[in-house]
Structures are given as structure tokens and as C-alpha cells.
Amino acid sequence: MSTTPTPPTSALRRWLPWAAGTLARESRDTLFLLAIVGWVVLMQAAHMPWAVTGLCLGVLAWRAWLTIRQKVLPGRWVRVIFVMLVIALTATQFRTIFGGEAGSALILLLLTLKTLELKAQRDAFVIFFLGFFTLLSHFLFSQSLVTAIGILAGVLALLTALVNAHTPAGYPPLRQALFIALRMAALGAPIMLALFMLFPRFAPLWGLPGNEKAKTGLSNDMTVGNIAELAQDDSIAFRVRFEGEAPPRSAMYYRGPVLSRLDGQKWTGSGFPRAPSNQQQAERAPAGSAADTVRYEVLLQPHQMQWLLTLDVAVTPPTLPAGWRSLQMASMEWTSHRPITDVLRYRASSQLNYHADASIPAPYLRPYLALPPGLNPRTRELAQRFLNDPKLANSTPKEQVEAVLQTLRIGGYTYTLAPGITGEHAADTFWFDSKKGFCEHIANAFVVLMRNMQIPARIVTGYQGGELNPMDGMWTVRQSDAHAWAEVWLEGQGWVRIDPTASVAPSRVEDLARLQSRGAIGNAIDTLSPGFAGALQRGLQSLRNVWEATNTSWNNWVLNYTQERQFDLLRNLGFSQVNWMTLLQLLAIAMAAAALLGGLWVWHSRQRQDPWLHALQQARRRLLHMGLPVADSAAITPRQLLDLLAQHQARANTAADAWGAWQQWLQALEAVRYAPAGSTQHAATTPTAQLRQLKTRLPRLPQLPLAQAQPAQTQPSTG
């Protein structure tokens, strides 16, 4: 006895009913709403503990399974247990249920739990508006362009579901609801743009709280080896736009933390601000001319520290947005009064040839000569050999520095990311054992040797170089451009920048040569043919340039659209006196104009009428004028008019031709709207052409003796 195999379609309908097109409207809408909530959860997954994301996705998967299999939703006690579980999970993960992170996680969990009681339209509306609020909370963690695109997609999806929920009848396609949602968003976009451009920004109240978990780069100290880790990070540290011609890449040293105290293998800074007297201020006059002054604008990514990156050396305070203050430290780097937790835009000017503190009393130079006892003994012996070298007899400190740099050039030292220099005697290891290292290893060994030669020296950390983006003309400085160099103090000159890495590897500062890990993508490209690999790399670089230029525009015109930018915009538009009251007045005018346009649009929509209905109403008014007792209603139909004419035709003693002309006209009008497609009424011409012909015939239809067909009515007396 043979058995008939189950058709594939039957199994598909049983296990995947939505794929076979048999899913009910309610189930389809539920799955669509669950997909939207899943998108909201995944967007925030990078900022949430894995337990929170896993529980949310698990609840959504369970709810989808219940929908597909048409199972009963969990009862009240099950939902109560889940609520207690998510509160306990939030408290365990964040040690609290309050605050930005804990509150966002709790809202996300409650949003997913709400889907377990999704039965009525009221429950769906709660999920809609809670979803909008949860999407907004994403900006607490990231305000990047990618986040904005993801939130925009989520908002459009929620609007689509909201429109779909307001069309309960039938099985309308989601595509139709999406088009309505897009039209709603387009109508609201001008108002949103006006509010964004003109709503006053009162610093420091305006804006979202800073993201405390943003990625960091350099730190306020340096352990030998940590800058080498940054060299494998290709993310953007900041971007620079120069006014006029940019300086050569070899002169692009962006000053960060200056480190002067060595404790074993760790360098730290002095950490006190500069408070120069008038005499000291005069001693720090520029060594070059005004032509050496470079003006530029920096778009600094959040790094959780207070220092500001400026081209070495900024002689005037950077121009920061309203609500920010800058302070120059004793070692000439600039800091802000609070940590930088969001993208910061500021202007600065620097002197490329600048020697600071040409005359410093000896006691103030002692910290720059200090070394821990017993550290790097072989480097101390090397310093003595330099000092005892007959070639350097009676030499100046500047000549001694040049002799050490020459040793780096011809001594077989190499520039590499390979690890190997560790421990407290890292300088000894570099000079005598490995003879290779990254910029921090070289700078550390050089400064330790200088101090052993009684030449005041310190380490400066920051960034060097950059890459010009031809899409927007800005220089991109990445974390991989992190660099460490040295400064030595010379009598009569002050602090002078010395980059010992340039002596070991001149290409490091002259061009884009970098020591970076290739990564999986780079290794895959290397396996291709040279011609194809080069074209692919150029294509990927072009795409990256486009993306970075777009992201910079987002940072400039959205994230950094401050009150100052608002005022600049109004000045460019011709306003002379600009303040926050001007913004409020323009905003009120814009809102009034939007309300007026909206009212005119509604009025125009009401005035517009369906051409078919307009023809029908013209016929009704003409028949009413002839004496047909037609109700004064726009709901009259051609069939009702035909019935009224038939009733009055029986009372009239006139020829049937006039009545037949009207009956034929009304039947044709009815057929234009209600005749099925493909019928004889639609065979000759299109409905639009037929309607045009009917409207042309209407004035030529004969007069009907309807007054004779009506019973006599008693006229009221007028006496």
C-alpha cells in the first residue's frame, strides 16, 4: 500500500504560513511590529550588556512563534514574573535602575515585554509610542550619522505600522501604508527643519548628555608600548581644515599631553597651568614671521580627556563654542575646562617656528633632568661616552643633540611595531639590544639619554601628519597617526622640538608611510593580482573619503550647529542685529506661515471635487431647476435620479424622447463609475474621455415638463 507524499506547499502552509500567503491580517501586522521592535533592540545592542539584548531578542522570538502557531499568549502571572526578572536583571547589570544606561535598558526590556500582551489596538498604540521614545534614547549613546540613519528607518517603520493600524478593514498592503508614512514625513519635514534651524540654543543647557563610553585615544600618561597599540586603530581622531595653503606634512605636529616625570616605565605630566608674567610672555615671542602663522579649524572627536589638539604651537587661545573655556598648561598644551565627550569644533592659530621660555632659572629645569636611581645604567654609560668623546669636546648642547641623532641615523636602528621592548630598562634595551622600536620607544630612549647628558628634555605626545581628503579639502588625522617626540631646552632658544623617530625613519614624517596591521581585508587584497588589488584599494579609499566627508558635514551642520552658527546664518542672510529674540521672532513667523499654508491646503482639498461627482451635481441642479423634487443632498446617485424620472414620466403627457435622452445620459454616467472593466461601456474610449463627452452633452439635453407632472401645490398668501 503506497502513501501519497505530502505536497511541499502543504508543509509550507503549515510551518511558514506567511511565506505561502495564508497568514491572517492580524498575524501579519503583529509580525511586522515585532520586526520593528527587533530593529530597535539591535540598534542599541552595541551599548547594552549581552544579557539585556539576548533577553529582548528571546522574548521577541517567542512572541513571533506564538503568532505563527496561533498559540495563546502568556497569562498575567507569567508577565508579572518577567517584569520582576527584567528589573532584577537591570539592577544586576548596572547596580541601579536609574540613570541613562540603566533607564534605557529598562525601557528596552519593557518594550519587548509589552509585546506579550499585544491583543487590542490600544496595546499596539502603546508599543508604537514607546518605540518612538526608545528610538530617541539611542541618541544618549551615539549621535553619529549611522545612528541617525538607523533611527530614521525605525521612525518610518513605526509610522508605517501606525498608518496600517488605522486601516482596519480588508487586507491593505504594507507598501500602501509606507507611501502614506513617507508623505506624512515629507509634509512634516519643513516644520522640523524650521525648528532645528531657528529654535534658540541656550548653552550649556542645549544638547544631550555626553557619552561617557566614547572611544578614547591618547591618555594623560604614557607607558612604553601603549601608543604602538593605537597605530593599529584606523578610526578618526580629528579633522582639520586650513585657511589658505596647508603646511607641509612634515610640520604637522599636533600637540597633546606633555610628559616630564618618569616613574619606571611610565611617563606622566606636570599637570599645572601656565601663569606667565609679562616678562615671560615677552620671552615667548615667535621666532618666525607672520607668514609662519597658520590658522585652521579642528573637528575633534570625543576622547574623554580635557586636552585640545592644536598645531605645535598655538600662541593664542583656541576659539571654542559658547559655554566652553580653554586653559594653557605650563608645558604649552591647551586644555578645556571639562572632558570632551562629544564632537567639538573650534578654531586655532599656531606658529610653526616657535621657541618658548628661552630663559628659565635653573631650579625650574631640574624636573626635566630627574631620573629614577638605578634606571637604565647602560644608557648612563652611553651618555658619558658621548660627553667624553674628543669630537664633542667643548661642544654646545645643540651639537651634542645632533651627535645623538646622527647615531640614530647610522647605528642600525629601525622603526617597527614589533613588541619586545618592555621593563624599566626600556632605554637600555633599545640602545643596545633590540635597536628597533616604535616612536614612543625611540622618544623614551632619547629623552633618558638627554637627561643623562644633563640636557633638559621631555616627551610630547600627540599626532603627526594626516591625510588630505580630496572630497572636502579637510585633513584627516587618525588614531594610527598618534606619535611621540621630544623637546630639549637649549640656552637662548628655549624648548626646541626634536623628533628622533625622523632620524630613524624619515618616511614616518615625510609621507604617509605607516606601520599598521593589515587585517583580514588587507591580507585578502594582497592575494589578488597587483593591478586589480591597486584598483580595489583606490576604490575603497574613494568610498571612505566620501563617507568621511559626509560624516564631517553631519558633524558640522547638525551636531555642531550651535547658537554661534545660528547667528552666523542670520548675518549671512542680511540681519544686522542678531540675538535670541530674533530667532524667536523668525520661528514664530515660520510657524505662522506653516499654519497658513496648511489651512490653505485643507481649504483647497475641500474645494476640489471628483469630476464624476461634479457632473452628477450639475445634472441634479438642472433637474431641480426644472421642477424635479430632488433632495438637497450630495449623496444622490444616478440610479435614484432615474427612479424619480420614471415616477414623473408616468404623469406627463409628453413624448418619451426627452425623457429617454435624460435616462440614457444618467445610465452612461453610472456606467463610467460602476461598469466592470472590459465591458462594452469601456470598450470604445477611456472613462475620462466618456466623462468629458457627457459633460459636453449635459447642457444640450432637452427641457422636461416636470412642473406638469407634479400635483398642484397651494401657494401661501402674502397679504
Side-chain angles (χ1 to χ4, degrees), residues 232 254 296 301 331 349 415 440 457 460 515 589 592 629 676 703:
Q232 303 183 49
Y254 298 95
Y296 50 95
Q301 297 296 316
S331 46
S349 59
Y415 177 65
E440 60 198 297
V460 183
L515 298 175
I589 294 173
Q703 188 78 13

Side-chain angles (χ1 to χ4, degrees), residues 274-285 356-361:
R274 172 182 291 275
S277 64
N278 293 335
Q279 180 180 359
Q280 290 174 322
Q281 186 74 31
E283 291 172 350
R284 292 190 283 114
D357 303 324
S359 177
I360 300 179

Side-chain angles (χ1 to χ4, degrees), residues 656-677:
D657 294 342
W659 300 90
W662 273 97
Q663 290 171 352
Q664 182 184 8
W665 190 91
L666 288 171
Q667 289 172 354
L669 182 66
E670 183 183 45
V672 170
R673 175 60 58 92
Y674 298 109

Side-chain angles (χ1 to χ4, degrees), residues 235-265:
S235 61
I236 295 177
F238 57 95
R239 304 194 75 207
V240 183
R241 184 190 305 276
F242 291 98
E243 295 183 8
E245 186 177 355
R249 187 179 289 110
S250 59
M252 293 182 181
Y253 285 83
Y254 298 95
R255 194 180 193 88
V258 179
L259 313 174
S260 57
R261 185 181 298 111
L262 177 60
D263 182 11
Q265 197 179 358

Side-chain angles (χ1 to χ4, degrees), residues 485-499:
W485 61 93
E487 283 184 339
V488 297
W489 189 85
L490 302 177
E491 182 70 32
Q493 290 184 272
W495 290 104
V496 179
R497 181 178 66 234
I498 302 293
D499 189 356

Side-chain angles (χ1 to χ4, degrees), residues 284-576:
R284 292 190 283 114
S289 62
D292 296 320
T293 301
V294 178
R295 294 177 176 82
Y296 50 95
E297 181 183 72
V298 179
L299 197 66
L300 181 62
Q301 297 296 316
H303 52 67
Q304 310 311 310
M305 303 297 174
Q306 294 178 251
W307 35 263
L308 305 168
L309 275 304
T310 58
L311 202 61
D312 204 4
V313 172
V315 295
T316 57
T319 304
L320 299 175
W324 286 80
R325 299 189 307 274
S326 60
L327 178 68
Q328 189 178 33
M329 306 303 289
S331 46
M332 296 183 297
E333 71 267 33
W334 288 93
T335 65
S336 65
H337 72 290
R338 65 175 184 261
I340 299 171
T341 56
D342 289 306
V343 177
L344 181 64
R345 173 178 168 268
Y346 56 92
R347 297 179 181 273
S349 59
S350 298
Q351 274 282 354
L352 300 184
N353 295 321
Y354 190 87
H355 300 160
D357 303 324
S359 177
I360 300 179
Y364 291 96
L365 291 174
R366 289 172 186 167
Y368 303 107
L369 294 171
L371 289 169
L375 199 67
N376 297 297
R378 290 186 291 173
T379 302
R380 186 180 305 110
E381 295 175 0
L382 177 62
Q384 289 300 318
R385 288 202 297 270
F386 272 109
L387 294 175
N388 296 330
D389 189 347
K391 297 180 181 179
L392 297 178
N394 301 321
S395 61
T396 63
K398 183 177 181 180
E399 294 170 339
Q400 295 171 2
V401 170
E402 180 57 34
V404 174
L405 294 178
Q406 182 64 16
T407 300
L408 288 172
R409 296 187 190 101
I410 64 175
Y413 297 94
T414 57
Y415 177 65
T416 179
L417 269 177
I421 301 180
T422 58
E424 295 184 348
H425 303 293
D428 283 356
T429 304
F430 174 78
W431 286 115
F432 298 101
D433 299 330
S434 67
K435 289 193 173 184
K436 61 183 179 181
F438 197 54
C439 60
E440 60 198 297
H441 306 114
I442 304 172
N444 170 72
F446 179 81
V447 171
V448 170
L449 180 59
M450 289 294 101
R451 291 190 176 188
N452 278 297
M453 296 174 65
Q454 297 304 304
I455 299 176
R458 60 192 183 190
I459 290 180
V460 183
T461 60
Y463 297 85
Q464 195 279 323
E467 181 181 3
L468 178 63
N469 188 333
M471 300 303 300
D472 58 3
M474 294 190 71
W475 287 79
T476 303
V477 182
R478 307 182 185 278
Q479 297 292 353
S480 55
D481 295 313
H483 194 50
W485 61 93
E487 283 184 339
V488 297
W489 189 85
L490 302 177
E491 182 70 32
Q493 290 184 272
W495 290 104
V496 179
R497 181 178 66 234
I498 302 293
D499 189 356
T501 303
S503 298
V504 176
S507 61
R508 170 61 181 83
V509 298
E510 293 294 339
D511 53 34
L512 285 177
R514 295 291 184 269
L515 298 175
Q516 299 181 5
S517 174
R518 294 290 295 166
I521 297 179
N523 293 332
I525 293 177
D526 290 341
T527 61
L528 304 174
S529 62
F532 183 74
L536 182 59
Q537 286 179 341
R538 289 190 296 271
L540 293 176
Q541 181 63 37
S542 298
L543 290 177
R544 185 169 73 167
N545 290 339
V546 171
W547 169 251
E548 290 176 353
T550 305
N551 198 56
T552 298
S553 299
W554 168 263
N555 291 332
N556 268 328
W557 296 105
V558 178
L559 299 187
N560 277 277
Y561 186 68
T562 59
Q563 188 180 76
E564 179 185 357
R565 302 294 298 267
Q566 286 182 309
F567 291 167
D568 289 342
L569 176 63
L570 295 183
R571 293 188 188 98
N572 293 334
L573 293 177
F575 291 87
S576 56

